[in-house]
């Protein structure tokens, strides 16, 4: 009697391939589920570098003492400076001034505020008011410091 020995190898190899595929799938999903996803963090902006102190740098480089700042004339209590927009490219600017406890209004450079007082000049935190024709009797307003 003759037996066919090549016949059982087909099902054996097919079964081996299916079990290898099942094992590979099990390993893939096991690794996929075992790894925790990395937390995505938002990018953080670097803090701005501190600005150098111009006067200290000038003293370090041998400059003489800084000239004295002009004295600030006490402003009448009827004017309160609340904000300044100065140094625009066109040379203009505006000051937010409250007159006689009224709501603050913007006044451009050269505008009449009250009683013939005109906005003469704008600084970072101050405004000079004076009569339209001269510089005599000028009043300087400063933005009040914010209390902590």
């Amino acid at each position: 009697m003759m037996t066919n020995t090549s016949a059982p190898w087909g099902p054996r190899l097919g079964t081996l391939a299916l079990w290898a595929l099942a094992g590979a799938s099990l390993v893939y999903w096991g690794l996929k589920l075992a790894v925790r996803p990395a937390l995505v963090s938002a990018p953080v902006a670097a803090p701005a570098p501190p600005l150098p102190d111009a006067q200290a740098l000038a003293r370090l480089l041998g400059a003489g003492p800084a000239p004295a700042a002009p004295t600030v004339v006490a402003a009448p209590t009827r004017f309160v400076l609340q904000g300044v927009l100065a140094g625009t490219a066109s040379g203009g600017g505006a000051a937010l001034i409250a007159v006689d406890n009224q709501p603050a209004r913007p006044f451009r450079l050269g505008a009449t505020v009250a009683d013939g007082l005109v906005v003469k000049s704008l600084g970072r935190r101050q405004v000079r008011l004076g009569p339209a024709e001269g510089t005599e009797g000028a009043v300087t307003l400063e933005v009040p410091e914010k209390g902590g």
Side-chain angles (χ1 to χ4, degrees), residues 59-78:
R59 282 192 309 267
L60 179 67
L61 296 175
T71 58
V72 176
V73 177
T77 56
R78 59 182 294 212

Side-chain angles (χ1 to χ4, degrees), residues 72-76 79 117-118 127-131 135-141:
V72 176
V73 177
F79 301 114
L117 289 177
V118 175
V127 173
R128 262 185 13 105
L129 304 176
T135 58
E136 205 60 38
V139 176
T140 303
L141 304 175

Side-chain angles (χ1 to χ4, degrees), residues 63-120:
T71 58
V72 176
V73 177
T77 56
R78 59 182 294 212
F79 301 114
V80 177
L81 179 64
Q82 294 184 350
V84 178
L85 173 64
T88 59
S90 64
L96 195 59
I97 303 173
V99 181
D100 294 329
N101 293 326
Q102 297 292 319
R105 293 185 13 224
F107 293 96
R108 291 179 111 1
L109 193 61
T112 303
V113 177
D115 298 332
L117 289 177
V118 175
V119 177
K120 289 289 194 175

Side-chain angles (χ1 to χ4, degrees):
M1 168 166 211
M2 219 183 211
T3 57
N4 191 357
T5 59
S6 65
W9 285 105
R12 287 180 186 167
L13 289 176
T15 303
L16 177 66
L18 285 176
W19 277 110
L21 185 62
S25 176
L26 185 66
V27 168
Y28 172 79
W29 285 110
L31 290 175
K32 192 80 160 166
L33 294 174
V35 176
R36 295 185 182 188
L39 296 176
V40 178
S41 62
V44 178
L51 296 175
D53 183 11
Q55 291 178 348
L57 186 59
R59 282 192 309 267
L60 179 67
L61 296 175
T71 58
V72 176
V73 177
T77 56
R78 59 182 294 212
F79 301 114
V80 177
L81 179 64
Q82 294 184 350
V84 178
L85 173 64
T88 59
S90 64
L96 195 59
I97 303 173
V99 181
D100 294 329
N101 293 326
Q102 297 292 319
R105 293 185 13 224
F107 293 96
R108 291 179 111 1
L109 193 61
T112 303
V113 177
D115 298 332
L117 289 177
V118 175
V119 177
K120 289 289 194 175
S121 66
L122 300 170
R124 286 185 59 198
R125 298 186 53 83
Q126 65 184 10
V127 173
R128 262 185 13 105
L129 304 176
E133 60 275 348
T135 58
E136 205 60 38
V139 176
T140 303
L141 304 175
E142 286 196 9
V143 176
E145 294 291 328
K146 293 186 181 202

